[in-house]
Amino acid sequence: MRAEIMKMTGAAGLRDWRKAHAAQVATLAADHARYTLDVDSEVDRAALKARYGIALTWPEGLAGSFAQ
């Protein structure tokens, strides 16, 4: 599963994989932001910082190395 997800490019992500493999996914009902916020784009991370004061950054050398 990990190898398949890591091959995804562009806007594809884990949410798309989960939809395509629904029988392999267990659902956990949760409404806490820790489990429900996206942080895979700069816009998502900016919203996280604005709302909660949490700034997520890539380690040096990795910034920009993953497709958005």
Side-chain angles (χ1 to χ4, degrees):
M1 174 178 90
R2 182 180 186 276
E4 188 175 339
I5 292 168
M6 294 303 290
K7 289 179 190 176
M8 294 178 174
T9 61
L14 189 55
R15 183 176 293 143
D16 296 328
W17 185 92
R18 288 185 355 223
K19 287 179 184 177
H21 300 85
Q24 295 174 261
V25 176
T27 301
L28 172 66
D31 62 357
H32 191 283
R34 177 178 293 166
Y35 307 109
T36 59
L37 288 177
D38 283 333
V39 293
D40 53 345
S41 74
E42 290 299 324
V43 172
D44 295 337
R45 290 185 290 277
L48 177 72
K49 184 175 181 182
R51 186 168 182 184
Y52 298 102
I54 298 169
L56 298 179
T57 59
W58 287 103
E60 189 172 331
L62 289 179
S65 64
F66 297 96
Q68 294 293 324

